[in-house]
Structures are given as C-alpha cells and as structure tokens.
Amino acid sequence: MISILLAEDTAILRDTLVAVLDLEQDMQVVAQVSHGDQILPAARRWQPDVAIVDIDLPGQDGLTAARQLGTDVPSCRVLILTALAQPANLRTALDAGVSGFLAKHTPAVDLIRAVREIHRGARVIDPAVAVAALDARPSPLTPRETDVLRLHSEGFDPREIAERLFLTHGTVRNYLASATDKLNARNRIHAIRIATENDWL
C-alpha cells in the first residue's frame, strides 16, 4: 500500500484527487493539507511514502516544503503537481530533491502511474516542461537587474524600488535602463514581457 500526503489549497481539486487516488487498490491518502506550513508536521506524523504537493500554497510555498521534507522525512518522495509548470520552477524543484514534477492538466491515469514509479524510486518529469527547460536560454540579466525588473513588474516605481533594495533612485533607473538594453526591449514594459516570457523573473 502506497501511503500519500496531499497538499493542495483548492478544496474541490483536493477532494477530487483524494477520491481518484483512493480508488486505487494499492494507494491510500493518509493526510491532506491546504497550507504549506502544514506539510512537514503531517509528514512527520503519518510518514507517507509519497507527498503530492502544489507549489503555490498559502503559509509556505511547496518547493520550500519539499526541501524540508528531503531533510526531515527523507523516506517521503515528493511529487510536485502544479499549475506553475515552468522551467525555473522545475529547476528549483530538482535542486530541492523532488522525485516528480507534473502539470495539473496531467490526466489522472498518468498521475497514478507517476505515483507508482516514484514509489519504486524512479523520477518522473512532465516531458513538455523538461523540453522547455532544456531549450531555455540563460538570462542575460545580473541578479540585481533581475531584482529591480521583477519589482517594477509588480508595480513598484523606481523610488519605491530604491527604498526596498537600499539603492539610490539613480542607481535603480540605471539598472532598469541596462536591463531594457540587454533585452533589446523598446521600453521597460516590453523588457518585463520579454523577461517573463523567457522565465527570467
């Protein structure tokens, strides 16, 4: 019997996944949580074989929880099941030691197969995300240019960014200008779009 911990904050999806997994004769959902900071306590208590974890969870993100599981409950293999199936998240997940990474639009039969394979010690990665990760170009931006552009994409103006990053207003404007130039963008908005499309933010 494969014991499963499910971490998903959308109740209807969580209930559906529990129902689907519990139909399998060799699987049982022993714990279900809706917040990321509930994952580790539940895993310590129930010692599941596999944790199916969403990335975007309240309280703590799923990737941070996955890293903690690898340290504190190493017998529990982690399968990330997420709507945020992007190359950067895949790389972060692999760095955290997860055994699987699938998009939420994955058919149920493939999810069930993935749980069994992961339980046997295999690694299962969504093929489309894996190809995108291999094809992804490295970012031409420096870490500081990335920080500044990300904050600008979130709606902060240069003065607010300067305050947040303890920089001068002029330095922030320079970083925005250099990021725009490196991305061959027409303006800052275009630079944000280019960086976002390439998963550099």
Side-chain angles (χ1 to χ4, degrees):
M1 182 67 70
I2 304 172
S3 58
I4 299 170
L5 182 157
L6 177 62
E8 166 59 53
D9 64 326
T10 304
I12 190 169
L13 177 56
R14 186 173 65 250
D15 292 346
T16 301
L17 288 170
V18 170
V20 168
L21 294 166
D22 279 347
L23 283 174
E24 300 301 309
Q25 293 184 350
D26 59 342
M27 296 182 189
Q28 181 183 13
V29 178
V30 296
Q32 48 180 306
V33 300
S34 59
H35 286 63
D37 49 12
Q38 297 171 334
I39 293 173
L40 191 57
R44 285 173 174 159
R45 177 182 178 187
W46 294 99
Q47 296 292 312
D49 298 311
V50 177
I52 300 175
V53 178
D54 188 9
I55 289 178
D56 190 20
L57 292 170
Q60 183 183 65
D61 70 89
L63 295 176
T64 299
R67 193 178 299 278
Q68 291 177 339
L69 283 175
T71 301
D72 290 24
V73 192
S75 61
C76 178
R77 300 181 178 277
V78 179
L79 167 59
I80 297 293
L81 183 67
T82 181
L84 304 174
Q86 301 161 343
N89 286 331
L90 171 59
R91 290 190 291 270
T92 303
L94 294 177
D95 288 343
V98 307
S99 298
F101 191 95
L102 295 177
K104 281 188 176 178
H105 60 255
T106 299
V109 64
D110 292 337
L111 171 63
I112 291 165
R113 184 184 304 116
V115 170
R116 292 192 178 109
E117 290 182 13
I118 286 169
H119 183 246
R120 288 196 296 265
R123 176 171 275 176
V124 180
I125 307 296
D126 186 293
V129 182
V131 169
L134 290 173
D135 290 343
R137 294 182 294 152
S139 174
L141 305 177
T142 66
R144 186 55 90 187
E145 288 168 342
T146 302
D147 290 341
V148 169
L149 197 60
R150 181 185 298 113
L151 286 171
H152 197 49
S153 73
E154 293 171 1
F156 295 99
D157 67 32
R159 292 193 184 281
E160 292 171 322
I161 296 171
E163 290 176 6
R164 280 177 164 261
L165 299 181
F166 304 102
L167 300 171
T168 67
H169 178 241
T171 299
V172 169
R173 289 173 60 87
N174 288 340
Y175 278 132
L176 288 170
S178 62
T180 302
D181 288 343
K182 285 182 179 180
L183 298 177
N184 295 316
R186 295 186 298 274
N187 50 45
R188 294 173 185 173
I189 301 302
H190 188 213
I192 289 169
R193 191 177 78 193
I194 292 170
T196 301
E197 288 174 350
N198 283 279
D199 204 23
W200 292 335
L201 292 184

